[in-house]
């Protein structure tokens, strides 16, 4: 098993490989003594369960059984070869499988970036398995009349990285695999937009840039965890999530679009992902918080994020 180089100041849990939904997930747990009060933390792209390192101890201390998986395609979790193995049906099925493994009917789910997208989808596809949800950065995405990649291509052009990942399979994967440390070091910066639709394929530009912009959101020791994981296993599995966006649009065609569970949406005020103007139309029981940071909310504003999560959960009872 790949050994991660952990920061000395973070006591991160030891991984367990758990069989679920026909694959194996690498799962980090804390607060096992709090069985019966589960909270599942879902990372984004291109991240790792380690992105929740600041929240995990506090949530466990507050009485939660914390379950933080590396989702399929990440870390030492399974990386199926088929692109369609990364659609929303499989990704949410993995989380349902985790609940079944631990014997839980439902849980609080917390997602960031792509993890938020999966949590929104879980609340639609398996609503009875979600008691409450907290999402960071990415608001609920209205399905709309046109598949998402087709829509982005029409609005942003074929250089937008979402579109590029789909229309030129393998190209970005190879560039990112060849420049793992440079790409991640350039990407994990304060106030640097994570989804800016700039020309020239923004993610490839970041992988090749020699002058980082902005202050880093983590130490070199912490960065080494992410670099080690992607150097070992590459980016293709995680990029395949993007290659299922139009498939996900079709999968949700006949699914109830409204999410009734208590929800909290946390934005980074300096993130390029804008707040959703119609969020409450689809998530009527939602609260909204904005923190003064960029895209990597739980890492850039770690203490504030933890306080927001715990305060909201306490109010929910």
């Amino acid at each position: 098993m790949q050994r991660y180089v952990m920061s000395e100041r973070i006591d991160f849990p030891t991984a367990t490989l758990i069989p679920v939904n026909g694959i194996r997930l690498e799962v980090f747990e804390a607060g096992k003594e709090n069985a019966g009060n589960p909270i599942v933390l879902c990372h984004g792209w291109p991240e790792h369960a380690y992105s929740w390192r600041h929240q995990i101890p506090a949530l466990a201390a507050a009485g939660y059984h914390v379950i933080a998986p590396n989702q399929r395609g990440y870390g030492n979790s399974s990386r199926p070869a088929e692109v369609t193995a990364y659609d929303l049906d499989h990704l949410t099925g993995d989380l349902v499988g985790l609940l079944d493994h631990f014997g839980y009917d439902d849980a609080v789910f917390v997602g960031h970036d792509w993890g938020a997208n999966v949590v929104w989808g879980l609340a639609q596809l398996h609503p009875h398995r979600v008691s409450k949800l907290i999402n960071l950065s990415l608001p609920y995405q209205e399905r709309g009349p046109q598949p998402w990649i087709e829509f982005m291509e029409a609005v942003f052009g074929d250089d937008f990285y979402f579109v590029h990942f789909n229309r030129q399979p393998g190209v970005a994967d190879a560039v990112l695999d060849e420049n793992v440390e440079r790409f991640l070091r350039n990407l994990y910066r304060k106030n640097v937009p994570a989804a800016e639709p700039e020309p020239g394929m923004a993610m490839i530009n970041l992988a090749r840039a020699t002058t980082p912009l902005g202050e880093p959101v983590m130490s070199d020791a912490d960065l080494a965890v992410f670099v080690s994981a992607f150097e070992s296993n590459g980016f293709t599995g995680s990029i395949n999530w993007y290659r299922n966006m139009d498939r996900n649009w079709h999968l949700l065609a006949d699914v109830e679009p409204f999410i009734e569970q208590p929800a909290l949406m946390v934005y980074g005020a300096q993130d390029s992902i804008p707040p959703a103007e119609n969020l409450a139309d689809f998530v009527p029981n939602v609260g909204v918080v904005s923190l003064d940071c960029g895209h990597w909310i739980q890492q850039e504003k770690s203490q504030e994020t933890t306080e927001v999560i715990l305060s909201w959960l306490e109010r929910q009872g």
Side-chain angles (χ1 to χ4, degrees), residues 12 26 28 41 43 47-53 56 68-70:
F12 200 70
E26 183 181 28
F28 302 86
L41 309 180
H43 63 79
E47 292 187 284
H48 186 282
Y50 190 69
S51 65
W52 301 105
R53 61 196 176 279
I56 289 173
N70 270 330

Side-chain angles (χ1 to χ4, degrees), residues 67-87:
I67 303 166
N70 270 330
Q71 298 177 85
R72 65 168 64 198
Y74 289 85
N76 289 311
S77 293
S78 296
R79 300 182 303 282
E82 302 82 4
V83 173
T84 55
Y86 298 85
D87 67 15

Side-chain angles (χ1 to χ4, degrees), residues 63-304:
Y64 289 93
H65 177 194
V66 186
I67 303 166
N70 270 330
Q71 298 177 85
R72 65 168 64 198
Y74 289 85
N76 289 311
S77 293
S78 296
R79 300 182 303 282
E82 302 82 4
V83 173
T84 55
Y86 298 85
D87 67 15
L88 198 56
D89 185 46
H90 287 87
L91 296 175
T92 59
D94 294 348
L95 298 180
V96 169
L98 272 183
L99 293 185
D100 291 342
H101 172 83
F102 288 108
Y104 291 130
D105 292 332
D106 57 25
V108 177
F109 282 86
V110 185
H112 170 249
D113 182 79
W114 249 111
N117 197 35
V118 175
V119 170
W120 293 123
L122 180 68
Q124 291 177 268
L125 293 170
H126 304 279
H128 299 298
R129 309 308 298 265
V130 181
S131 61
K132 306 175 187 69
L133 61 153
I134 301 170
N135 279 328
L136 283 61
S137 298
L138 188 72
Y140 176 90
Q141 303 296 295
E142 182 181 357
R143 184 172 175 273
Q146 186 179 14
W148 284 307
I149 296 300
E150 290 184 16
F151 172 78
M152 292 179 188
E153 188 170 25
V155 173
F156 301 130
D158 58 11
D159 268 346
F160 184 42
Y161 72 97
F162 278 69
V163 180
H164 190 287
F165 287 166
N166 280 268
R167 303 298 188 237
Q168 300 188 48
V171 175
D173 315 40
V175 173
L176 300 185
D177 286 352
E178 291 170 2
N179 299 277
V180 174
E181 182 169 2
R182 179 181 293 177
F183 170 57
L184 296 179
R185 189 177 294 277
N186 288 341
L187 186 67
Y188 297 142
R189 298 275 160 177
K190 295 182 180 180
N191 310 331
V192 175
E196 188 69 33
E198 60 188 65
M201 201 349 217
M203 292 302 167
I204 286 181
N205 288 348
L206 276 175
R208 291 172 171 162
T210 57
T211 306
L213 299 174
E215 182 182 349
V217 299
M218 66 182 79
S219 68
D220 284 350
D222 289 336
L223 178 66
V225 177
F226 298 85
V227 172
S228 174
F230 283 101
E231 283 185 341
S232 296
N233 302 315
F235 283 88
T236 296
S238 63
I239 292 176
N240 281 341
W241 291 34
Y242 290 88
R243 294 177 176 136
N244 280 280
M245 289 191 67
D246 282 357
R247 181 178 175 84
N248 294 341
W249 183 89
H250 289 287
L251 284 172
L252 293 172
D254 299 318
V255 176
E256 173 64 56
F258 304 105
I259 294 174
E260 301 294 341
Q261 293 94 332
L264 177 66
M265 181 64 223
V266 182
Y267 292 109
Q270 298 164 33
D271 194 350
S272 64
I273 298 176
E277 296 180 357
N278 62 345
L279 180 61
D281 294 342
F282 293 92
V283 191
N285 298 311
V286 68
V288 176
V289 172
S290 182
L291 297 180
D292 184 20
C293 62
H295 183 71
W296 314 107
I297 296 175
Q298 75 270 30
Q299 300 187 83
E300 184 177 344
K301 291 290 185 180
S302 56
Q303 182 175 346
E304 293 91 333

